[in-house]
């Protein structure tokens, strides 16, 4: 069976939503919420950024036109509710789940926007919003500092993933290969930030 580029990107989008939903549900687990709390935070994290992207681009909101995304959020959140006790003792598991979602959505958000014919700068902006906005909502609702305001390399990863995709697409003219490589690049940078505590320099007087 040969998969088309659109089919591969669609599958990657489903996986990305599931991963981000699981990361949002794990955040709910750390606050010891009930199963409805898991579903709420999993869904907000899974589809929040993509929702804002589609509203800005004036296209059909992806989970409204394809309810599978919403279903995936619910299923991933419920599954996380039952398996979370096995992972909460591993402090960085949440970070790795979030890193995978960040890498996936930064590229997929860019790819979707660019396919609509927008300016490359707009595509990069959409690639930055898609993986970060859901996390911002999650953190605000949980009463904690949004991860994008911390000193960790986070938004930078989304920007690098977005730019890498456009650069590779221009070189290879192959959307699938460009997506996979850009996702890998973004994930490796985020992995380095987690393992080696990479941080951008802060402003000082």
């Amino acid at each position: 069976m040969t998969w088309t580029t659109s089919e591969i990107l669609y599958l990657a989008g489903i996986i990305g939503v599931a991963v981000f939903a699981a990361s949002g549900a794990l955040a709910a687990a750390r606050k010891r919420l009930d199963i409805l709390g898991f579903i709420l935070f999993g869904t907000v994290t899974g589809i929040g950024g993509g929702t804002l992207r589609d509203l800005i681009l004036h296209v059909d909101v992806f989970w409204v036109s394809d309810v599978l995304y919403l279903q995936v959020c619910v299923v991933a959140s419920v599954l996380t509710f039952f398996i979370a006790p096995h992972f909460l003792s591993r402090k960085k598991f949440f970070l790795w789940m979030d890193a995978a979602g960040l890498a996936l959505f930064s590229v997929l958000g860019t790819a979707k926007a660019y396919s609509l014919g927008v300016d490359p700068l707009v595509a990069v902006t959409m690639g930055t919003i898609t993986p970060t906005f859901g996390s911002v909502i999650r953190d605000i609702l949980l009463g904690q500092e949004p991860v994008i305001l911390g000193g960790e390399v986070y938004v930078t990863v989304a920007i690098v993933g977005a730019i890498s995709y456009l650069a590779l697409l221009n070189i290879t003219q192959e959307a699938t290969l460009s997506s996979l490589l850009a996702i890998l690049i973004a994930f490796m940078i985020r992995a380095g930030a987690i393992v080696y505590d990479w941080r951008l320099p802060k402003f000082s007087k």
Side-chain angles (χ1 to χ4, degrees), residues 18-83:
V19 169
F20 247 11
S23 75
L26 280 172
R30 295 167 68 187
K31 293 290 186 178
R32 301 187 179 280
L33 302 181
D34 60 25
I35 193 168
L36 292 180
F38 274 64
I39 294 173
L40 170 63
F41 286 100
T43 301
V44 164
T45 309
I47 65 176
T51 299
L52 179 62
R53 175 201 63 211
D54 290 349
L55 289 174
I56 293 174
L57 293 173
H58 300 292
V59 298
D60 291 339
V61 177
F62 69 105
W63 55 269
V64 174
S65 57
D66 187 350
V67 74
L68 179 59
Y69 289 102
L70 197 57
Q71 294 169 340
V72 166
C73 283
V74 174
V75 170
S77 300
V78 171
L79 287 176
T80 304
F81 179 81
F82 290 105
I83 67 173

Side-chain angles (χ1 to χ4, degrees), residues 107-132:
V107 174
L108 296 179
T110 304
K112 179 171 184 177
Y114 195 63
S115 70
L116 296 173
V118 302
D119 185 86
L121 182 58
V122 175
V124 170
T125 301
M126 295 300 103
T128 304
I129 287 175
T130 303
T132 58

Side-chain angles (χ1 to χ4, degrees), residues 132 135-140 143-151 154:
T132 58
S135 298
V136 169
I137 299 175
R138 175 198 69 204
D139 293 342
I140 290 175
Q144 58 193 32
E145 181 184 51
V147 66
I148 66 171
L149 298 181
Y154 195 84

